Amino acid sequence: NCKMQVISFGKAGRVDRAWKVFRKMQQQGWDPDNITLTSLINAFCKARRTDDALKFFEEMEGKGYHFSAPTYNALILGLGNEKRLDQACSIFESMYKRGCIPGVDSFNSLLTALKQNGKATDAVKFFERMRKEGLSPNLYTYNILIEVLGKAGFEEELNEVRENMLRDGYNGSLITYNIVINGLCKTERIDDALNLLQEMRLKGYSPDCHTHSSLIWGLCRANRIDDACKLFYEVATAGEVPNVVVYSSLLNALSKAGKFDEAEKLFEQMVTKGFTLDVVAFNTMIGCLGKGGKIDKAYKLFQVMQEKGCEPDKVTYTSLVVSLNKVGRVTEAC
RNA sequence: GACCCUAGUCAUA
């Protein structure tokens, strides 16, 4: 029925469709429940349309609806994602006054917002505060903290958090490994990351696409392009199916290393295998072609992506303009 | 049936 449609359109990122269905349903005198409303609010937030979400939230609150934690969490995350940390904090603090006392999930949402804005110190403060409020951090909490502290290079705090985590009985998960591996890759410690890859295997975890794309990125950054290719083919032959992100990571690595022909071959392979290419995959290949001097081919791919229903974004245009300028075709760029 | 944790692309990256 209509409610299911709102939820599934929302989940699929088709916010406008969800919104239309919702309005129609409302006009027919339907009284939506919290779950439907939150699905919509969440869909707006995920589409980086948090202002629409807030407007809708306030409108519904004015009509007497009162919301529960998931609604606030969605808003906190949306605001954090749009770098509107102050507002994210305000919403969080307002929960107390609105009679919805933040639980672990809401603290986790706020910690995620802090993490996305690199606020490691504040994250630690809120972590302490949640304990003071009688809440027990869960694995999500620890994973978020590990990421933000790792990226900020807060080594002592990291160790403290790790101890807390173990004391609370959490040994980490595949996602924990992925977070740490990615952090090591991003901070130029690829060998430590590769050691962790071995360790996680020994512990019985199966590295997944997140693990592999992080490592390929790290190897590329360390100028170890051959190792990146090796890793890619190893996992492919080990029966693990690389997804479009893993392919794009290697594509990017090849492009950065100036291996343009191999990059084109890999891209062809992606097409042949029937992957649904997303905007990042197209952007990577367009950038690669431009870098390799094949401007016309890059432009052609720009047209192909649109034919395939993939909307170019800011990065697409910047790449094309930069490539055109490099060969002096400034007018075309305009 | 709604909410909380991880990966890839541009402007000498």
Side-chain angles (χ1 to χ4, degrees), chain A residues 127 131 136-143 146 160-173 176 205:
Chain A
F127 175 67
R131 311 204 82 140
S136 306
N138 61 18
L139 185 54
Y140 284 23
T141 319
Y142 285 115
N143 285 340
I146 288 170
E160 251 175 68
V161 164
R162 274 193 52 95
E163 281 166 25
N164 274 302
M165 175 172 158
L166 292 168
R167 191 163 3 93
D168 285 351
Y170 295 108
N171 294 310
S173 63
T176 315
Y205 291 105

Side-chain angles (χ1 to χ4, degrees), chain A residues 216 228-236 242 246-247 250 266 269:
Chain A
I216 288 170
C229 292
K230 217 172 102 192
L231 181 77
F232 179 86
Y233 290 108
E234 268 170 16
V235 309
V246 180
Y247 266 94
L250 187 64
L266 190 74
Q269 207 183 111

Side-chain angles (χ1 to χ4, degrees), chain A residues 19-38:
Chain A
W19 180 248
K20 269 182 196 142
V21 175
F22 174 80
R23 276 306 188 207
K24 205 170 76 189
M25 157 179 173
Q26 225 184 10
Q27 279 158 17
Q28 293 174 6
W30 248 313
D31 196 20
D33 62 8
N34 248 334
I35 291 174
T36 314
L37 298 178
T38 304

Side-chain angles (χ1 to χ4, degrees), chain A residues 31-297:
Chain A
D31 196 20
D33 62 8
N34 248 334
I35 291 174
T36 314
L37 298 178
T38 304
S39 301
L40 257 179
I41 287 171
N42 191 38
F44 278 126
C45 291
K46 291 270 143 61
R48 307 195 112 246
R49 289 172 58 181
T50 307
D51 278 324
D52 290 326
L54 283 168
K55 208 174 117 199
F56 181 59
F57 170 81
E58 278 157 17
E59 180 193 327
M60 288 297 136
E61 208 179 31
K63 288 186 181 173
Y65 287 94
H66 93 88
F67 293 98
S68 48
T71 321
Y72 294 98
N73 298 347
L75 291 169
I76 291 164
L77 289 167
L79 288 164
N81 204 18
E82 291 179 16
K83 312 281 169 201
R84 294 157 66 180
L85 245 192
D86 292 341
Q87 287 178 75
C89 290
S90 308
I91 292 278
F92 177 83
E93 301 298 351
S94 83
M95 292 176 69
Y96 295 88
K97 298 176 194 109
R98 297 192 219 229
C100 180
I101 309 299
V104 180
D105 295 351
S106 298
F107 270 93
N108 288 345
S109 302
L110 185 64
L111 287 170
T112 299
L114 292 167
K115 184 201 78 181
Q116 274 161 339
N117 293 270
K119 301 285 184 190
T121 310
D122 293 319
V124 173
K125 277 186 203 144
F126 273 97
F127 175 67
E128 285 161 2
R129 180 172 144 190
M130 77 187 280
R131 311 204 82 140
K132 279 193 197 111
E133 296 189 14
L135 298 167
S136 306
N138 61 18
L139 185 54
Y140 284 23
T141 319
Y142 285 115
N143 285 340
I144 297 161
L145 281 168
I146 288 170
E147 189 185 340
V148 68
L149 295 173
K151 283 185 175 157
F154 285 23
E155 298 297 337
E156 312 103 51
E157 288 85 347
L158 241 185
N159 287 331
E160 251 175 68
V161 164
R162 274 193 52 95
E163 281 166 25
N164 274 302
M165 175 172 158
L166 292 168
R167 191 163 3 93
D168 285 351
Y170 295 108
N171 294 310
S173 63
L174 173 62
I175 292 184
T176 315
Y177 270 103
N178 286 343
I179 289 169
V180 177
I181 285 174
N182 186 46
L184 292 169
C185 290
K186 291 273 147 63
T187 51
E188 327 263 272
R189 289 175 286 178
I190 182 63
D191 289 313
D192 293 335
L194 290 167
N195 286 336
L196 267 187
L197 175 68
Q198 302 303 341
E199 180 187 313
M200 72 190 283
R201 283 188 173 132
L202 289 174
K203 290 199 179 172
Y205 291 105
S206 304
D208 66 3
C209 291
H210 290 262
T211 328
H212 298 137
S213 53
S214 293
L215 288 168
I216 288 170
W217 192 97
L219 287 165
C220 168
R221 171 55 64 101
N223 289 319
R224 290 168 59 177
I225 179 66
D226 294 335
D227 289 332
C229 292
K230 217 172 102 192
L231 181 77
F232 179 86
Y233 290 108
E234 268 170 16
V235 309
T237 49
E240 299 183 41
V241 190
N243 65 7
V244 65
V245 177
V246 180
Y247 266 94
S248 310
S249 304
L250 187 64
L251 193 62
N252 183 242
L254 291 167
S255 171
K256 289 266 192 316
K259 307 206 172 197
F260 304 120
D261 294 337
E262 293 185 41
E264 280 192 66
K265 266 185 230 155
L266 190 74
F267 187 77
E268 286 308 320
Q269 207 183 111
M270 250 197 289
V271 174
T272 315
K273 294 206 172 181
F275 280 103
T276 301
L277 302 180
D278 62 11
V279 64
V280 177
F282 279 114
N283 288 348
T284 308
M285 195 59 223
I286 287 172
C288 178
L289 289 166
K291 221 177 140 206
K294 302 189 174 178
I295 316 295
D296 295 316
K297 209 161 176 181

